[in-house]
Amino acid sequence: MCFRSGPFYNHQHLDQGSFFLADRGEKFIEERYDGDHHYYDDPLYQSHAIQSISHNTILIDGNPQSQDVGDPKDFAAGMSRHASFESLFDSTWIAAASGRLDPVYNGKVEGLFRHVIYLKPSAVLIVDTVTPGDSAVSADLLFHTKWKDQIEAGEERSLIVKDSASLTIEHLLPEKRHIVVNDEPHFLSQFDDRPLRRRGYLSVSAKASGQTVVFANLLYSTVSGDESPFARRGGNGGEFKGGGTTLGFHVNSSGEKAEWNGFESDALVLAEKDGGFFILNGTSVSREGNVLLSSSTSLDAAVTVEEGAVMVNYHLGDAESSLSIRCQEEPEEALLDGAVLDRVSYSGDDSLATLVLPGGGHCLELRY
């Protein structure tokens, strides 16, 4: 699975935020343009094939040409209006990438982010946040596959059915959503095939009026006859079984602190596995009244508890942050990317180790 968020270059399509997904030998999510027609000979090439509507992007107000090209990378000082990756993060059991897309949406939205969370080893959670400006907007998430008749749409979950496996798309958020299978036009090259087979795509749509709307969709594949590895726990998340363990997660659409499974956090996404936890775009996590993590600035972090150590894989913005992390004992050694850190304080009253961490992506290890 991969997705795009960055500056434009020379020849390309308006496809910021678009993603590709394959599993079990099948291409489930792919872009509409498949390379089998002759570019400018087809009147749909410029007007449709290179536009946002032909990719797995987000449309605003149903506009098929929702995006513009933005500024090229490093072209001139001050020309930095383009999509970008705000966070890139990896750990042994979970990974995430957050792309900021609103700069290429012609001022139609105040904020638009696509967060892709890889629930290792076999599921992807896509969380999109759309913040309107002065006027309400509609947002359409697009999921393209090769043939329209391979798509089975549903209010809670949709399927893309291939020869050897199926992709399930669990629609978790928002609660009020509109899901439909749309027709695609035929390219000239397709008329060489008889009978014609309709192309199409799935769209998940909702209104954003006055506040941020949060989309959450979980994607995973199964073979025919397999029991679903996912169980919903409320509308905002659930438990996913894979790799011999269970990973639970919750998506917070409130914008404030939320409670889930004994946790309390302000994070956009909170996940738990084997005693460890993960937060995306948050500053604090508590459980049963005990602080597990507290940061002076928002971060993405996965905390893994090992024998005699706590591992913290994290990504901050450019600025440093004061971080407190719960440890069973006072750490004897603190390592940042393998280098020893000297200034670590420990409070035995609340079992918290506190230190100042640099911005960017790093791995912290507290040994005791």
Side-chain angles (χ1 to χ4, degrees), residues 156-219:
E156 285 201 346
R157 66 183 55 85
S158 298
L159 297 176
I160 295 177
V161 181
K162 299 287 186 174
D163 292 336
S164 63
S166 299
L167 181 77
T168 299
I169 306 173
E170 301 276 357
H171 307 301
L172 304 175
L173 286 172
E175 293 183 4
K176 295 182 179 180
R177 53 186 178 257
H178 182 60
I179 298 169
V180 66
V181 180
N182 304 275
D183 285 327
E184 282 272 53
H186 291 296
F187 285 156
L188 289 179
S189 62
Q190 290 180 277
F191 289 98
D192 294 333
D193 300 326
R194 293 289 188 274
L196 285 174
R197 190 176 182 184
R198 176 64 70 182
R199 299 289 293 258
Y201 63 92
L202 179 77
S203 66
V204 180
S205 308
K207 289 280 189 179
S209 177
Q211 60 185 8
T212 299
V213 62
V214 178
F215 292 85
N217 293 278
L218 178 71
L219 286 69

Side-chain angles (χ1 to χ4, degrees), residues 99-242:
R100 181 181 179 184
L101 308 175
D102 55 273
V104 296
Y105 275 82
N106 296 297
K108 294 294 184 180
V109 289
E110 185 175 308
L112 200 163
F113 288 81
R114 168 154 281 181
H115 308 276
V116 175
I117 300 102
Y118 175 30
L119 310 179
K120 299 182 180 183
S122 52
V124 171
L125 174 65
I126 301 179
V127 178
D128 300 298
T129 61
V130 181
T131 303
D134 296 333
S135 302
V137 297
S138 64
D140 305 313
L141 278 57
L142 310 185
F143 301 83
H144 287 80
T145 196
K146 190 164 187 179
W147 303 114
K148 180 184 177 183
D149 58 19
Q150 294 174 323
I151 305 171
E152 299 177 8
E155 283 303 310
E156 285 201 346
R157 66 183 55 85
S158 298
L159 297 176
I160 295 177
V161 181
K162 299 287 186 174
D163 292 336
S164 63
S166 299
L167 181 77
T168 299
I169 306 173
E170 301 276 357
H171 307 301
L172 304 175
L173 286 172
E175 293 183 4
K176 295 182 179 180
R177 53 186 178 257
H178 182 60
I179 298 169
V180 66
V181 180
N182 304 275
D183 285 327
E184 282 272 53
H186 291 296
F187 285 156
L188 289 179
S189 62
Q190 290 180 277
F191 289 98
D192 294 333
D193 300 326
R194 293 289 188 274
L196 285 174
R197 190 176 182 184
R198 176 64 70 182
R199 299 289 293 258
Y201 63 92
L202 179 77
S203 66
V204 180
S205 308
K207 289 280 189 179
S209 177
Q211 60 185 8
T212 299
V213 62
V214 178
F215 292 85
N217 293 278
L218 178 71
L219 286 69
Y220 58 87
S221 71
T222 55
V223 297
S224 178
D226 278 2
E227 181 181 355
S228 173
F230 179 66
R232 289 180 182 241
R233 297 290 183 265
N236 294 23
E239 296 178 344
F240 188 86
K241 295 181 179 180

